[in-house]
Amino acid sequence: MENVLAVLNLGELAHAFSKMGMFPVFDLAYYIVSILYLKYEPGSVEVSRRSPVASWLCAMLYCFGSYILADIMLGSSPVDYFQHNSHILLASAVWYLIFYCPLNLFYKCVAFLPVKLVLVALKEVVRVRKIAAGVHHAHQAYHHGFFIMVIVGYVKGSGVALMSNFEQLLRGVWRPETNEILSMSFPTKASLYGAILFTLQEAHWLPVSKSTLILVFTLFMATCKVVMTARHSHGSPFALIESWTCHLLFGSPLGCGEEDNHHAPVAAAPSSPLKSKEELSEGARKRKAKKAE
Amino acid sequence: MENVLAVLNLGELAHAFSKMGMFPVFDLAYYIVSILYLKYEPGSVEVSRRSPVASWLCAMLYCFGSYILADIMLGSSPVDYFQHNSHILLASAVWYLIFYCPLNLFYKCVAFLPVKLVLVALKEVVRVRKIAAGVHHAHQAYHHGFFIMVIVGYVKGSGVALMSNFEQLLRGVWRPETNEILSMSFPTKASLYGAILFTLQEAHWLPVSKSTLILVFTLFMATCKVVMTARHSHGSPFALIESWTCHLLFGSPLGCGEEDNHHAPVAAAPSSPLKSKEELSEGARKRKAKKAE
Amino acid sequence: MENVLAVLNLGELAHAFSKMGMFPVFDLAYYIVSILYLKYEPGSVEVSRRSPVASWLCAMLYCFGSYILADIMLGSSPVDYFQHNSHILLASAVWYLIFYCPLNLFYKCVAFLPVKLVLVALKEVVRVRKIAAGVHHAHQAYHHGFFIMVIVGYVKGSGVALMSNFEQLLRGVWRPETNEILSMSFPTKASLYGAILFTLQEAHWLPVSKSTLILVFTLFMATCKVVMTARHSHGSPFALIESWTCHLLFGSPLGCGEEDNHHAPVAAAPSSPLKSKEELSEGARKRKAKKAE
């Protein structure tokens, strides 16, 4: 009986958690963390001084890129989400405070590590909810389109990362030698796995309820991201399993899951090494984090 | 009584002006001026000799880019406007005459300054009408989507300028260090302000009728463009106000409205100075204008 | 009477041919040949080892690029075709076998010239069928949109070639100096002519039945491609006619139809010669074909 009660409580907890509204608290955390990462990007502060419109547009891509990409994938208007004026205004306010607050006060508050860790955890709640919603939305459009469900869940979870080349182009930066699919960071990879799990659940091949999956996956994502942010590391928890799977299935050298090892050139012609996005920006990000304060 | 009569006449004039058909006279002027600017682009004449298909496609992007972008924004078919066969045929005829007319006769006629000034004024009539139509179209799709209305009005007014990187890519040219949002030219900036004004009017926050706003804004745009074309200048009438607004709101150095001053690098990595599009092409344009004759 | 019988038989043959199902045999050939060409691309094998997801995505673009582009043109979901799970699974299986089969056995089988010639011929059957279907689909959406019909037929026939810059970007390769419209390869050019023919037929300006046109054009395309593949040549059968037409209409130097002669620079600024895509990749393809075995 105690087991049944425990299960019922967990089930109810999961159900209540999956019905919890994201706006405004969780969405606010999502906007803050996203625009914080934008500020870390080399050159973004100069862009905010020279061209506030471009800076605002980049901030909107960081905050709403997942909705834009998912709408593009499903053939809807890419700016459909912009009808939610309150969400856009909130994100714009966050953008203004992070880039233009006198004495950089707001930035210093949210970049303070304990605060940042809380915000990062809240952001992961939103990410997982988006993946689930994306898979569900695709399922309604294509009842048996399992590939489509995975694709839409994937873009909902990854967001702006998947269009990073073009978001950077908006800021006058062009780095064609790498992209988020060629060398996936942890959130992008986890979004792919999450999209697959939610698709399996939607197709009734995974014998768990959606709310339980949301709760479990959220706990996993939030824990990983909080630990990685606290340690300033990019090591992925998937690394070992991926390494062996890639080696067996795809003949990859051991360590394919480690995006830090992508050094080999990929093209004979004016080629550039297949660097991980982290490697290119990690050093710059640390320098920028100091400079931005 | 005389005042009322004067107002009635102005109101009727504005109403008649806003109902005036754009095809074929005004649209023809739009196509001629647009394809003239394409001919000024470095390399476009060589492309027209080597690959007429690519040249034609670029000309179509210059003439109909606003419709293509607006349709993309609203989730419709990007080639929807191409169903208007007569418009496409007219634009194609203009393209052929400008690039391939024996002895370059047509080009010499339309590039003759007095003729060009008239055509430029007529083009601005079309631009303003497009902005108003774009805002109205977005309003019908999203009754309270004010951000969407501004975005759609903006892309309708700016046209191909907003996709200049990709239009250039079609011609084999790639300049990622600048784009029309990072360093806005006068027409793009004016389209943004116009889109905001028309959105305020559509939302009944601006107490003027749409036809009056169309008339006033058209007179403003036509006057500015004619004066700028006559003087071969790129100075913007907004410069002073923008400079102070940007300095107060965004901490920009005085002169942020002047796109001529965008010299500072924007990225630490293989960065390029944030040059205005005019600076990169102005010298080339003057050389090309001579060469094209 | 014999003539009538002969005509009836040819008509019935053409009708039966146009109704023949493409899946799975012809589609399988299309996937094999397409992914074979992907394997020839410099660097694609390294990408398959380092990032199987990127490799799989490129393979899907090669196999289904025509459907993706046509759906984009007509404002539908770009991933609409991915609802056909069996087609995606078959293409994925071909991708896996070509890139990861032990001892490269599958690749060696399909790259064996007699086998390859059969597959190439079958691929052309699919290409022509796609052009016809694209024109028909566009006709249903836009009854008098003749330009739209040509555009949709063109992208259905050309497929991934028209988005080659972005497909290469996915693999970390960026070659902005050329693209498939600026220097068209034979299949792309033939797709354009085919789209025009099928549009004329759909508009009843070409007095042949659609099935006859499909049969004739398929025989033409299959013959040309088989001969060109057997000879390892890129010479186009259109070269002479195009040369004279371009010279008369567009003032091109004689030999504009020959994409091998596109050497002149097209831009004054950091320009690159207007190289044909073949020139850039031909040598690399031959080296890669040897290396891939």
Side-chain angles (χ1 to χ4, degrees), chain A residues 72-75 142 144-148 151 165-166 174 176-177 179 181-182 184 192 246 248-253 256 261-262 264-269 274, chain C residues 42-44 46-54 56-57 75-80 82-83 85 88-89 92 95-96 100 166 169-175 287:
Chain A
I72 290 174
M73 287 296 133
L74 292 172
Y142 298 95
H144 298 288
F146 304 117
F147 286 101
I148 299 178
I151 288 170
N165 290 86
F166 299 104
W174 184 244
E177 64 276 7
N179 62 67
I181 298 182
L182 211 45
M184 285 200 211
L192 178 59
C246 286
L248 285 168
L249 280 181
F250 304 115
S252 311
C256 103
N261 289 344
H262 291 184
V266 276
L274 180 56
Chain C
S44 63
E46 283 89 343
V47 171
S48 72
R49 297 287 176 264
R50 295 290 176 184
S51 178
V53 175
W56 178 83
L57 218 59
S76 310
S77 158
V79 295
D80 183 80
F82 283 70
Q83 61 177 306
N85 295 324
I88 308 301
L89 286 171
S92 304
W95 160 75
Y96 189 84
Y100 307 105
F166 299 104
L169 181 64
L170 191 53
R171 288 186 276 118
V173 173
W174 184 245
R175 288 200 206 112
R287 290 193 302 274

Side-chain angles (χ1 to χ4, degrees), chain B residues 2-82:
Chain B
E2 291 87 352
N3 288 341
V4 170
L5 278 172
V7 164
L8 275 173
N9 283 346
L10 193 70
E12 278 175 28
L13 172 68
H15 185 78
F17 180 71
S18 72
K19 293 296 168 206
M20 198 161 55
M22 293 288 102
F23 188 80
V25 178
F26 292 89
D27 278 337
L28 177 64
Y30 192 95
Y31 303 155
I32 292 174
V33 178
S34 302
I35 300 177
L36 214 57
Y37 285 148
L38 170 61
K39 189 158 183 172
Y40 288 151
E41 289 286 311
S44 64
V45 176
E46 284 89 342
V47 169
S48 72
R49 296 287 177 265
R50 295 288 179 186
S51 177
V53 175
S55 179
W56 178 84
L57 219 59
C58 289
M60 294 304 106
L61 288 179
Y62 265 72
C63 294
F64 306 112
S66 46
Y67 296 105
I68 293 172
L69 278 179
D71 283 328
I72 290 174
M73 288 296 132
L74 291 172
S76 310
S77 158
V79 296
D80 183 80
Y81 198 79
F82 283 71

